[in-house]
Amino acid sequence: MRLDANRAPLYEALERHAVRRAAAFHVPGHKGRATWDKTDAVRRYAELLPIDLTELSDTDDLHHPEGVIADAETLAADCFGAEETRFLVGGSTAGNLAMILGVCRPGELMLVQRNVHKSVVHGLMLAGARVVFLPPAVDPASGLAVVPAAETVREALRRYPEAKALLLSNPNYYGMASDLRDSIREAHERRIPVLVDEAHGPHFGRHPAFPASALQMGADVVVQSAHKMLSAMTMGAMLHLQGQLVSKSAVRQYLRMVQSSSPSYPIMASLDLARRELHTKKERSFEQALRTAEETRAGLEGTPFKALAADTTRGSYAIDPLKLVLFDATGTLDGFSLRDELERLGCIAEMADDRYVVLAFGTGTRPDDGQSLLAALKHIARTHRLEDRPAAGRREEASFFALAKELPEPVILHGEADDTEAVELGQAEGRAAGEWVIPYPPGIPVLYPGEIVTPSIRKQLERWRKQGARIQGASDTTLRTLKVLKR
Ligand SMILES: Cc1ncc(COP(=O)(O)O)c(C=O)c1O
């Protein structure tokens, strides 16, 4: 029987189960009822708990799907154009771990773009990979790092033909998307598979306004956070597979290892519903978000705020229209301050850095969200008298990820280094870091143990220290000191 895209087999099975109101002598202990003391929480959860089920005769098993989960995943593969799709309940994090472990055994070599999310780095650590980090290309106008240039990939593939995979992360957190086709072709010519962390691009290829998806460009394994830019619940993500270069059974095996044996049914069912929305409404799924983003962009005209756009970058990147990357063109408010001001006025951004504030639009965005944002920005412009100030010249600070022009030697990543000492940040320059430093978000490690603290990294850390950026990994999260390896 051909599956029907208008159905949501997993969600419908949960709904059927819930209305039976059978006496439940299986986990979870709540038995589908909110029994907490009378609070708002009871009202909030009461509707959801009846579908918070477990592996039963009619609800299938994520780790051995043969029924409604198999059907839901088959429909998702059809929708996204994959040969096989697996639902993830641990976000793209779980997918990144499994796809790396599925291709790389201890001591084997991986070619990996340097500016990757920590989940990729954690996967490389768990795999015991020897990693050659490829320096990313940097957009000279915005200073933001994107995927490595095709020439960098070509050189890495030439130098390391034994690599088990090439791993790229596209788009970046700012929605800057690169064309991966040349790099994928070069890797495939050497029978090296390409894994893509497309956490921020599950909508790519689903509307003419969006860039092509990694699957459309020929990647072998693609991981997408359906919860970030589609309508799935938080932690809902998907891993897609195609081609013969990666063992699908190995990736499945690692998914069984890195994901819970009690995966959340509300999350999985929300993946089924997000897929159905896309499958049936198609481009219409995004019309409201796109229109709102467009109107908001237009509303910036005449204000001191600008948004990153194809004509403000100087490379061949597509900009995701659902990401509004704002900056104060007068140079008065840095990204962190602008984010904080917006938050006080009731607009909560996805991320900020020292220049930009990233605002994500999605299937749930409504036109009044855009109006609230514009009203808040106008209020901020007035209170800071930004309108009276001239536009500042663009600061073109190259990303600190533009570490080296040369390909570095392979490294093996460790959780922490043994013989370290804490030194004042200023003294750390030129020393090998003794700990991880991960600004969050975006969660891309700036330093791993053993990596040399270059002048540009030291300067960037000092800027973050002054701005009070949120830092993970470092033992002194204020960044006054940094652990380095003893000489
Ligand atoms: C590029 C990138 N990859 C992977 C992840 C992890 O995704 P998730 O939060 O769905 O586990 C993130 C999260 O922010 C990310 O930015």
Side-chain angles (χ1 to χ4, degrees):
M1 185 199 73
R2 180 135 162 65
L3 293 167
D4 180 355
N6 296 295
R7 309 295 296 269
L10 174 56
Y11 170 73
E12 289 168 16
L14 301 188
E15 193 56 40
R16 275 195 302 275
H17 190 103
V19 295
R20 272 180 70 197
R21 293 180 189 274
F25 297 102
H26 54 78
V27 296
H30 60 62
K31 314 296 176 197
R33 303 180 186 111
T35 54
W36 309 304
D37 287 343
K38 298 244 170 291
T39 62
D40 287 354
V42 170
R43 188 174 42 76
R44 186 69 69 193
Y45 276 75
E47 290 286 311
L48 186 68
L49 290 188
I51 64 158
D52 184 35
L53 292 162
T54 186
E55 290 76 19
L56 301 168
S57 58
D58 54 347
T59 59
D60 207 3
D61 178 352
L62 178 68
H63 297 294
H64 190 71
E66 293 181 312
V68 284
I69 295 180
D71 289 349
E73 290 183 331
T74 302
L75 281 164
D78 180 54
C79 178
F80 289 88
E83 281 167 24
E84 181 174 324
T85 292
R86 294 282 149 185
F87 284 180
L88 307 172
V89 288
S92 287
T93 296
N96 283 342
L97 297 180
M99 78 176 172
I100 293 167
L101 290 162
V103 298
C104 178
R105 275 178 264 166
E108 291 184 335
L109 196 125
M110 294 281 290
L111 301 176
V112 182
Q113 145 182 358
R114 174 61 184 84
N115 49 330
V116 281
H117 185 254
K118 59 186 177 165
S119 55
V120 170
V121 171
H122 294 159
L124 296 166
M125 283 161 69
L126 288 173
R130 284 189 307 127
V131 186
V132 175
F133 276 124
L134 312 191
V138 174
D139 168 45
S142 63
L144 296 170
V146 291
V147 295
E151 302 78 69
T152 309
V153 172
R154 188 176 314 128
E155 171 58 14
L157 291 165
R158 193 191 58 74
R159 197 154 348 144
Y160 298 102
E162 73 274 29
K164 291 296 156 189
L166 166 69
L167 195 156
L168 301 173
S169 185
N170 191 58
N172 67 9
Y173 219 110
Y174 303 83
M176 294 164 77
S178 305
D179 194 326
L180 308 180
R181 274 170 271 234
D182 285 348
S183 295
I184 292 175
R185 198 185 46 250
E186 301 261 358
H188 283 176
E189 276 168 11
R190 294 172 188 269
R191 310 230 16 99
I192 294 177
V194 182
L195 320 181
V196 179
D197 174 356
E198 199 176 37
H200 296 275
H203 54 305
F204 280 16
R206 325 294 322 169
H207 189 288
F210 302 147
S213 73
L215 276 176
Q216 290 168 333
M217 292 191 273
D220 302 84
V221 191
V222 179
V223 169
Q224 301 177 324
S225 288
H227 69 90
K228 290 195 199 295
M229 304 299 289
L230 301 178
S231 52
M233 277 172 69
T234 293
M235 288 178 112
M238 295 191 199
L239 179 145
H240 307 290
L241 293 143
Q242 65 181 355
Q244 302 304 318
L245 293 180
V246 170
S247 159
K248 297 184 176 74
S249 61
V251 174
R252 268 182 236 133
Q253 164 70 9
Y254 281 104
L255 281 175
R256 284 193 281 274
M257 290 170 66
V258 301
Q259 301 209 93
S260 169
S261 59
S262 308
S264 159
Y265 274 84
I267 294 177
M268 290 191 283
S270 78
L271 286 168
D272 198 18
L273 293 168
R275 185 277 313 155
R276 178 170 71 179
E277 180 174 44
L278 211 57
H279 225 159
T280 53
K281 285 170 69 183
K282 299 196 164 44
E283 294 159 8
R284 281 185 297 118
S285 313
F286 304 102
E287 292 293 330
Q288 180 156 288
L290 277 169
R291 203 174 334 111
T292 306
E294 210 175 290
E295 281 164 11
T296 313
R297 270 197 183 81
L300 296 176
E301 195 63 45
T303 76
F305 301 103
K306 288 201 182 331
L308 213 61
D311 59 354
T312 60
T313 59
R314 265 195 260 133
S316 50
Y317 323 106
I319 307 275
D320 179 356
L322 295 185
K323 288 271 171 76
L324 188 70
V325 182
L326 272 184
F327 60 97
D328 169 11
T330 72
T332 311
L333 294 174
D334 66 26
F336 297 110
S337 319
L338 181 54
R339 175 202 55 195
D340 293 347
E341 297 264 337
L342 283 171
E343 186 159 337
R344 268 192 289 280
L345 296 167
C347 295
I348 321 276
E350 165 63 17
M351 186 188 72
D353 67 13
D354 41 9
R355 180 160 177 80
Y356 300 103
V357 179
V358 179
L359 299 136
F361 292 63
T363 47
T365 300
R366 293 189 320 206
D368 51 326
D369 298 329
Q371 285 148 18
S372 305
L373 178 64
L374 285 175
L377 288 170
K378 284 175 186 155
H379 182 84
I380 294 168
R382 268 196 311 279
T383 46
H384 288 270
R385 299 183 188 284
L386 299 180
E387 271 128 358
D388 308 335
R389 297 181 195 228
R394 292 292 302 261
R395 197 159 43 84
E396 294 177 7
E397 203 93 47
S399 163
F400 44 90
F401 283 120
L403 304 168
K405 298 284 163 271
E406 299 294 314
L407 277 184
E409 292 298 310
V411 288
I412 294 186
L413 301 166
H414 297 286
E416 54 186 65
D418 288 335
D419 222 3
T420 61
E421 58 183 334
V423 297
E424 297 278 326
L425 193 53
Q427 307 300 313
E429 194 175 306
R431 304 281 300 267
E435 59 184 351
W436 293 87
V437 179
I438 311 175
Y440 194 86
I444 297 172
V446 170
L447 281 172
Y448 56 81
E451 190 169 28
I452 301 298
V453 183
T454 59
S456 70
I457 290 183
R458 199 253 311 142
K459 272 192 231 143
Q460 181 62 50
L461 295 180
E462 272 166 2
R463 274 200 293 276
W464 281 333
R465 183 184 62 192
K466 287 197 198 107
Q467 289 153 345
R470 266 198 290 160
I471 302 291
Q472 295 180 345
S475 40
D476 175 2
T477 52
T478 67
L479 291 179
R480 197 182 57 75
T481 59
L482 184 73
K483 275 193 185 168
V484 293
L485 298 187
K486 283 195 180 149
R487 286 193 209 273

